[in-house]
Amino acid sequence: MSKDIVMETQNLVKKFGDGVTAVDDVSFKIEKGEVVGYLGPNGAGKTTTIKIMTNLIKPTAGHACINGIDVNRHPKEALKSVGSLIGVPGVYSYLTPTELLRYFGKLYGLPKQRIDERIKEVLNMVNLSDWKDSKVGTFSTGMERRLAIAKSIFHEPSILILDEPVLGLDPEGIKEMRELIKSFQEKDVTVFLSSHLLDEVSKVCDSVIFLYDGRVVEKDSVERIDEIMKQYRLIDVELLEDIRKSDLKDMKKIEMIDDVKKIDDSRIRVTKNDGDPGTTAEMLRKIVENGFDIVSYTPEKSDLEDFYVSLIEEKEGAR
Amino acid sequence: MKSIKDDICEDVRNTWLTIEFELEKHFKRKRVIISFSLAVILPLIFYVVPKIWADFPDTAERFASLNLEFVSLLIIIAGSLFAGDAVSGEFEEKTGLLLFPTPQRHMTIFIGKYIGALIPTMLVVSIYYLTVTGEVVGIYGLGALNLDFLKSFLVALIYSTSAVSVVFLFSSILQRKITSTLLGFFSLMMILPIISNVLQFLVETEPWYIVTYSAGLITDVFSATTQVGGGPGGGITRFSPDFYTGLGVMFAYTIGLFFVGLWISIERRME
């Protein structure tokens, strides 16, 4: 049985005044409790989609719905269960975290006692408890970012929309953010996450949506993408002698090799068209048979990033 | 499904929360203390200076009229201070990215911001008049107070709403808060008064439709229209705003510019 659809876009289009189409016919559905990565290069339309989904901008055509409610027509109802962190928001520098969070707590209709409890809880979560009564103007960028995260989760939303959440965070902060997202996953919170850090996305997301040039080019589970990537095994091979251009051409003629790239004078990266260890042995034997002496070889793991790059290259090639 | 009544109640509640939040921000930024201090210090100058170096004017009306010449300036300062960055600040500082994706109509945010600027501006005016009233009672006795004081106070309050509307409009249109604040201030302080004076003294037309001209009612309620001396060709007519026309113009600016500003703010998007 399929789960409830909690976020949905239907043929979403956003054209700006200068004629740029930032989002072009974007449709996707996200189920309750899913953690979805929204990926794409700069200018692909990620933030524009997120801004439409949070009623910061209106679409030129199409709809964005949360819990079945059109966000742009009924933002008050649709955004009740949503916590969001969009871009790099400014934080009122003359207020303290407590004052800021208290206002948002009231806005989300939390009772006074609960607001006090949540202030303690969320500031503790984002490691800002010691600064709860300090003016935000004295904070570092990372601390401001953590406060913005605290605001987005303050009312315990069932849907979280995060646009580049680890931007401005140090490695420790990134790790904490990852743990935080994982904890939401356990609580059945739906997370929609845009990021350019594909490694981060692969660590926390169930599925990913790839956006390119304003269009969705792929939507799949991280697990399935891993399966696909296993078929594109990369092997770094170090040869005894320096490699010439003609050597690369000769190697490409070997049947199980899809591509060969020179890494440095004596090292090459071979792309195989399957992940079978048997054919790897066969391929290495053929390389030796062609007169190349192998010093060493290292199988490289293909990841989401390789998949993403291959997808983009495919799209660029199709242009 | 929520009833219309519940929906409206929720909007009113959200507007009130914005007003509270705006007032808290004004307090935190020391704007309230600065403008309230000015509202006490300015009228005190009119008491202290004649007390030490000269005599007080003969009548309470003349004293009040001289003193209240500066209430317009204070209204413009307070209006610019409280409304100048109400909308533009959210966009320039990107604090709107925190504020706007929340379960409230953008309309309630901007109405709250407008009222949040209006309340302290009106309080500044009230403090100014309280101080002047205290001075008048101290110098001329309780009997010196008459209905003109109340009329002047009401006109000043209505002018406050017009001034806040003018600045609010600039804030809704412009990108940068410093530009919207300064343009709001200089429009009321220089641009509109210059146009008004040009029309009066060079074109000899009454600029009844200019709000800063109508603001003259604040002190004009204490005296009648006067003629000022002119050059060899004769006297120059100094127009004086008609009480009801002036009030009408102030109301028109308040309502008209507020709604235009509100509409622009709602339509404005964080792109």
Side-chain angles (χ1 to χ4, degrees):
Chain A
M1 206 175 93
S2 71
K3 280 186 163 185
D4 298 339
I5 301 293
V6 291
M7 288 174 78
E8 185 177 5
T9 62
Q10 297 160 353
N11 311 105
L12 212 57
V13 177
K14 179 65 190 178
K15 288 180 183 176
F16 288 108
D18 50 8
V20 173
T21 304
V23 173
D24 191 6
D25 200 28
V26 166
S27 297
F28 57 76
K29 290 177 180 179
I30 294 166
E31 292 176 351
K32 187 176 189 309
E34 249 191 304
V35 178
V36 179
Y38 197 50
L39 308 173
N42 288 340
K46 302 186 300 288
T47 302
T48 304
T49 314
I50 283 180
K51 283 183 174 176
I52 293 171
M53 300 208 72
T54 49
N55 193 38
L56 283 171
I57 54 175
K58 289 197 189 299
T60 310
H63 302 279
C65 298
I66 286 175
N67 290 321
I69 305 166
D70 190 318
V71 181
N72 304 108
R73 288 182 67 191
H74 306 286
K76 223 165 81 171
E77 289 75 21
L79 292 173
K80 271 207 166 95
S81 51
V82 176
S84 57
L85 174 67
I86 301 148
V88 185
V91 190
Y92 304 99
S93 56
Y94 37 86
L95 295 180
T96 66
T98 306
E99 289 160 348
L100 184 85
L101 294 175
R102 180 156 285 132
Y103 165 69
F104 285 103
K106 285 181 196 170
L107 193 64
Y108 283 100
L110 301 186
K112 195 186 170 300
Q113 198 191 334
R114 186 71 190 128
I115 290 173
D116 292 337
E117 286 166 7
R118 282 300 285 165
I119 287 172
K120 278 185 195 157
E121 284 169 17
V122 295
L123 289 182
N124 195 32
M125 268 187 219
V126 297
N127 287 331
L128 285 178
S129 299
D130 293 343
W131 289 273
K132 68 182 168 66
D133 295 318
S134 307
K135 288 209 171 128
V136 178
T138 62
F139 285 13
S140 66
T141 312
M143 287 163 83
E144 280 188 15
R145 190 85 184 143
R146 282 189 270 150
L147 179 58
I149 293 163
K151 178 258 156 188
S152 68
I153 59 174
F154 190 75
H155 59 295
E156 298 176 275
S158 60
I159 297 169
L160 257 179
I161 298 177
L162 305 172
D163 183 22
E164 300 282 0
V166 296
L167 208 70
L169 295 181
D170 54 20
E172 179 105 357
I174 293 175
K175 193 175 160 226
E176 283 162 10
M177 188 68 204
R178 194 192 305 145
E179 296 305 318
L180 203 62
I181 293 172
K182 280 182 179 167
S183 73
F184 292 130
Q185 211 164 12
E186 285 157 19
K187 290 175 192 162
D188 218 17
V189 173
T190 310
V191 182
F192 185 70
L193 163 81
S194 100
S195 179
H196 67 283
L197 298 175
L198 303 184
D199 190 39
E200 282 308 312
V201 169
S202 65
K203 279 176 187 156
V204 294
C205 292
D206 305 318
S207 57
V208 284
I209 298 170
F210 288 99
L211 199 69
Y212 182 72
D213 221 6
R215 287 176 166 266
V216 173
V217 287
E218 189 77 53
K219 180 182 188 303
D220 221 325
S221 67
V222 171
E223 206 173 301
R224 227 188 83 75
I225 289 169
D226 270 350
E227 286 293 310
I228 294 168
M229 290 316 289
K230 275 179 191 162
Q231 293 167 19
Y232 287 86
R233 289 288 297 273
L234 301 174
I235 297 168
D236 285 357
V237 181
E238 190 182 357
L239 302 169
L240 188 63
E241 311 230 340
D242 286 358
I243 304 141
R244 293 163 302 176
K245 263 189 180 172
S246 59
D247 296 338
L248 295 175
K249 276 185 187 168
D250 291 343
M251 273 191 219
K252 275 183 191 170
K253 287 177 189 158
I254 299 170
E255 57 184 312
M256 58 279 287
I257 292 178
D258 262 3
D259 194 24
V260 185
K261 276 181 187 147
K262 193 173 168 180
I263 300 172
D264 57 36
D265 289 346
S266 62
R267 289 196 310 140
I268 52 169
R269 173 163 289 177
V270 181
T271 307
K272 269 179 72 218
N273 58 6
D274 72 36
D276 180 6
T279 55
T280 303
E282 175 77 12
M283 181 197 73
L284 291 169
R285 195 160 52 80
K286 292 253 180 189
I287 292 173
V288 174
E289 277 175 10
N290 274 271
F292 301 103
D293 293 325
I294 296 175
V295 176
S296 68
Y297 76 95
T298 322
E300 292 293 318
K301 190 183 172 294
S302 302
D303 55 17
L304 200 58
E305 192 155 343
D306 296 312
F307 181 78
Y308 171 75
V309 170
S310 66
L311 206 64
I312 298 301
E313 279 176 356
E314 201 177 294
K315 293 289 157 192
E316 294 275 4
R319 277 185 157 185
Chain B
M1 194 71 189
K2 226 183 294 169
S3 70
I4 294 172
K5 189 186 155 203
D6 289 344
D7 199 36
I8 292 170
C9 285
E10 197 176 30
D11 283 346
V12 171
R13 184 185 152 274
N14 289 340
T15 306
W16 174 245
L17 284 176
T18 304
I19 295 170
E20 266 187 354
F21 192 47
E22 285 300 302
L23 293 177
E24 185 177 6
K25 289 193 285 178
H26 294 322
F27 267 106
K28 290 281 166 184
R29 281 184 283 185
K30 313 267 189 296
R31 291 175 176 182
V32 172
I33 191 78
I34 291 168
S35 53
F36 282 19
S37 303
L38 280 174
V40 176
I41 293 166
L42 275 177
L44 275 180
I45 293 170
F46 285 86
Y47 179 83
V48 173
V49 172
K51 176 99 180 159
I52 298 172
W53 289 288
D55 290 330
F56 291 112
D58 293 340
T59 63
E61 282 81 5
R62 279 206 65 194
F63 175 80
S65 186
L66 275 172
N67 206 331
L68 293 170
E69 285 283 349
F70 286 88
V71 80
S72 305
L73 170 67
L74 200 61
I75 288 170
I76 296 167
I77 292 172
S80 304
L81 214 54
F82 295 121
D85 63 352
V87 181
S88 54
E90 298 290 349
F91 287 87
E92 189 188 345
E93 302 281 328
K94 293 197 173 178
T95 43
L97 290 172
L98 284 184
L99 187 64
F100 299 144
T102 48
Q104 57 180 335
R105 288 198 174 92
H106 288 189
M107 183 181 75
T108 61
I109 297 174
F110 297 119
I111 293 175
K113 281 180 167 291
Y114 177 83
I115 301 172
L118 198 56
I119 290 172
T121 308
M122 285 180 149
L123 279 173
V124 166
V125 173
S126 305
I127 291 170
Y128 196 107
Y129 271 84
L130 263 177
T131 315
V132 173
T133 306
E135 288 170 350
V136 167
V137 172
I139 302 166
Y140 304 98
L142 199 61
L145 289 176
N146 59 34
L147 203 62
D148 288 342
F149 282 92
L150 186 63
K151 272 169 83 176
S152 170
F153 175 55
L154 290 177
V155 171
L157 287 183
I158 297 165
Y159 180 58
S160 308
T161 62
S162 317
V164 169
S165 287
V166 170
V167 183
F168 182 74
L169 177 70
F170 284 117
S171 187
S172 65
I173 295 169
L174 296 166
Q175 296 291 332
R176 293 174 64 85
K177 57 184 187 181
I178 186 75
T179 322
S180 56
T181 305
L182 289 179
L183 207 55
F185 177 81
F186 285 113
S187 295
L188 294 163
M189 199 60 212
M190 284 173 68
I191 301 167
L192 290 177
I194 287 171
I195 296 170
S196 175
N197 282 342
V198 167
L199 287 168
Q200 281 185 85
F201 300 121
L202 293 182
V203 189
E204 293 195 7
T205 307
E206 187 186 10
W208 59 268
Y209 41 84
I210 293 179
V211 75
T212 47
Y213 170 76
S214 305
L217 284 173
I218 292 171
T219 50
D220 282 3
V221 293
F222 294 107
S223 58
T225 307
T226 53
Q227 295 274 321
V228 291
I236 297 172
T237 307
R238 179 183 180 263
F239 296 98
S240 188
D242 172 68
F243 187 75
Y244 293 105
T245 310
L247 287 189
V249 169
M250 286 184 197
F251 276 122
Y253 271 71
T254 299
I255 295 164
L257 298 186
F258 165 66
F259 278 110
V260 174
L262 183 64
W263 179 74
I264 295 170
S265 303
I266 293 168
E267 288 300 310
R268 195 169 167 177
R269 296 284 152 177
M270 295 214 66
E271 289 177 357

